[in-house]
Amino acid sequence: MTKSGAEKKRVRRAATHNGTRDPNDTPPKKQSTGKDVFQLFADKVRDHKELESRWAILQETRVEYFRGKDFVGFLRSHPELKDVLGSDTGFEVEDIANALLRKNLLVRCDRVVKTVRPGKKKLSTWPAHLEIFPDQVFSENDAFFAWTFVKRRPLWQTVLSFLWPVATLAICLFPVFPHQLKLIVLYSCAGILLLIMSLLLVRSVIFGALWIILGKRVWFFPNILAEEATLSELFQFWPTKDEGEQPKWTARLTYAIGAVLVIVLLRHHAPDEAARARYHKRVSNIIDDVLEWSPRLALSGMMEKQPTVVNETQNNHSGDGSKTAAEEVTVAEDMNVDSSSAGHVSDDIGDEGSDNHI
């Protein structure tokens, strides 16, 4: 028999009075809400710009990670983020991090390279390669934590994913662009390429000069060639702190002499004005061919190269007619020759007869 409503209420009161709770009476809505709030909390923390994070390779997978001490300082500076947790707002930072670890929203990692590299004073602050740490417990001391869930894609990334095929198709149709549009695309690409090459050259010259003169490693735009950098980190202007040992003066002197020799050799073997003019003319001709090309010119060129097709039947008829006419002319000439020869023979006979009569 099933229990009545009054009996169920008495059982619940008794369980509450005894300090125990029936696991079957736990509302399922609250359980799902507990899972959702930590996921929402993780989304808000990950999207926040003040939590410093980097990208690294974890078991051949690119992940975003942060340091334990940065997580503690971030939550102490922004306690309002705990309001998302609802009734769990009284948790400490370690309790929240351990809850995220238990729900597989985070995974604790450790650096792969655990020894100081030659020429360095200490280990890298943000390692590029990580491995999973055996003990999945939160810690502040040299501990790294990677997000395990896929980050929500912003709207601009979705729009950009739809625009990529359009851009690819436009690049393929460049030969049929109008002439003015071709000029815009050509000079824009050339300007961007020149800007990138000039930037790399200037930062290399500044680095070499400061390294030779002061012995300091100073790279402006330090992440411009980094593969695992975000868009904001890519255009970071100020250099990072030099953590390496100062180079010896003998090495700096050697590199200085080598740089001077390279500059002298390049200056000595530089092309003359005539060679530069020939190269410029050749490049200009190639660019003009690209810019002036059009489907109409291509079709006209194909028509000119196409061989002339002649009707074979007409050729045969015309050949037969010319052959017949030639044969007729030959027969007529033969007949004229025969008649003329016959006339000459008769004249000769007549002359002989007259001579005999005399």
Side-chain angles (χ1 to χ4, degrees):
M1 295 179 64
T2 58
K3 294 182 180 180
S4 61
E7 291 178 354
K8 289 182 179 180
K9 289 181 180 180
R10 285 196 296 269
V11 171
R12 290 173 183 171
R13 289 171 184 169
T16 305
H17 180 72
N18 295 330
T20 61
R21 180 179 293 179
D22 189 0
N24 297 326
D25 294 337
T26 303
K29 183 180 293 186
K30 189 170 183 180
Q31 291 180 355
S32 61
T33 305
K35 295 179 181 179
D36 293 338
V37 293
F38 280 99
Q39 178 68 55
L40 183 60
F41 173 78
D43 289 333
K44 286 185 175 295
V45 171
R46 188 174 183 179
D47 293 337
H48 208 286
K49 297 180 179 180
E50 294 189 14
L51 178 61
E52 189 175 4
S53 62
R54 294 290 189 277
W55 290 86
I57 302 299
L58 174 64
Q59 295 181 350
E60 299 181 357
T61 304
R62 190 167 178 263
V63 295
E64 184 181 7
Y65 73 99
F66 57 88
R67 297 179 297 184
K69 59 180 181 180
D70 295 335
F71 185 75
V72 174
F74 171 75
L75 286 185
R76 288 175 181 174
S77 302
H78 301 277
E80 68 277 1
L81 293 175
K82 296 181 182 179
D83 297 338
V84 181
L85 301 176
S87 59
D88 298 328
T89 54
F91 282 177
E92 296 293 333
V93 177
E94 295 184 0
D95 298 333
I96 296 175
N98 289 325
L100 295 176
L101 290 171
R102 287 194 302 269
K103 294 179 180 297
N104 294 327
L105 297 174
L106 285 178
V107 59
R108 183 176 175 178
C109 308
D110 194 10
R111 61 177 77 245
V112 175
V113 180
K114 300 178 176 62
T115 57
V116 181
R117 294 181 179 179
K120 301 289 184 179
K121 295 181 180 179
K122 60 181 182 179
L123 293 172
S124 177
T125 306
W126 296 96
H129 297 274
L130 300 173
E131 60 183 4
I132 297 179
F133 193 73
D135 190 9
Q136 292 295 313
V137 179
F138 181 78
S139 176
E140 299 183 38
N141 302 323
D142 198 25
F144 307 97
F145 299 89
W147 301 106
T148 58
F149 60 92
V150 180
K151 189 177 181 180
R152 292 179 300 176
R153 179 178 296 179
L155 179 60
W156 66 270
Q157 291 185 0
T158 304
V159 175
L160 188 62
S161 62
F162 284 102
L163 292 179
W164 272 122
V166 179
T168 305
L169 182 61
I171 293 173
C172 296
L173 295 177
F174 175 78
V176 298
F177 283 3
H179 184 74
Q180 297 295 333
L181 188 56
K182 285 183 179 180
L183 289 177
I184 294 174
V185 174
L186 176 64
Y187 289 120
S188 299
C189 295
I192 294 173
L193 182 61
L194 181 61
L195 177 63
I196 294 174
M197 298 302 295
S198 302
L199 177 62
L200 296 178
L201 179 61
V202 170
R203 70 191 292 267
S204 301
V205 170
I206 294 175
F207 173 82
L210 294 179
W211 187 82
I212 293 173
I213 298 173
L214 303 177
K216 299 292 184 181
R217 301 176 179 86
V218 179
W219 283 110
F220 291 97
F221 293 101
N223 300 322
I224 195 67
L225 299 177
E227 297 180 357
E228 305 296 333
T230 61
L231 188 62
S232 59
E233 295 173 353
L234 191 65
F235 296 100
Q236 179 184 349
F237 177 76
W238 294 108
T240 56
K241 185 179 179 181
D242 186 13
E243 299 178 354
E245 296 180 356
Q246 188 172 4
K248 298 179 180 180
W249 67 271
T250 53
R252 293 156 55 187
L253 181 61
T254 303
Y255 277 101
I257 295 174
V260 172
L261 291 177
V262 169
I263 294 174
V264 170
L265 289 175
L266 292 177
R267 185 69 180 87
H268 180 70
H269 294 283
D272 55 0
E273 187 66 23
R276 188 198 62 80
R278 289 195 301 269
Y279 180 75
H280 178 72
K281 184 178 180 181
R282 188 183 307 170
V283 173
S284 299
N285 292 335
I286 295 174
I287 294 176
D288 292 340
D289 292 340
V290 173
L291 294 178
E292 295 176 359
W293 186 91
S294 65
R296 184 177 301 175
L297 293 176
L299 292 176
S300 63
M302 292 173 62
M303 295 301 294
E304 290 177 359
K305 293 180 181 180
Q306 187 175 2
T308 305
V309 179
V310 183
N311 195 346
E312 296 180 357
T313 306
Q314 294 179 358
N315 289 339
N316 294 332
H317 286 304
S318 61
D320 296 340
S322 61
K323 184 178 180 180
T324 304
E327 291 177 353
E328 291 177 354
V329 171
T330 305
V331 171
E333 290 178 352
D334 293 340
M335 292 178 65
N336 292 332
V337 170
D338 293 339
S339 61
S340 62
S341 62
H344 288 297
V345 171
S346 60
D347 293 338
D348 294 337
I349 294 173
D351 294 337
E352 291 177 357
S354 59
D355 292 338
N356 294 330
H357 180 71
I358 294 173

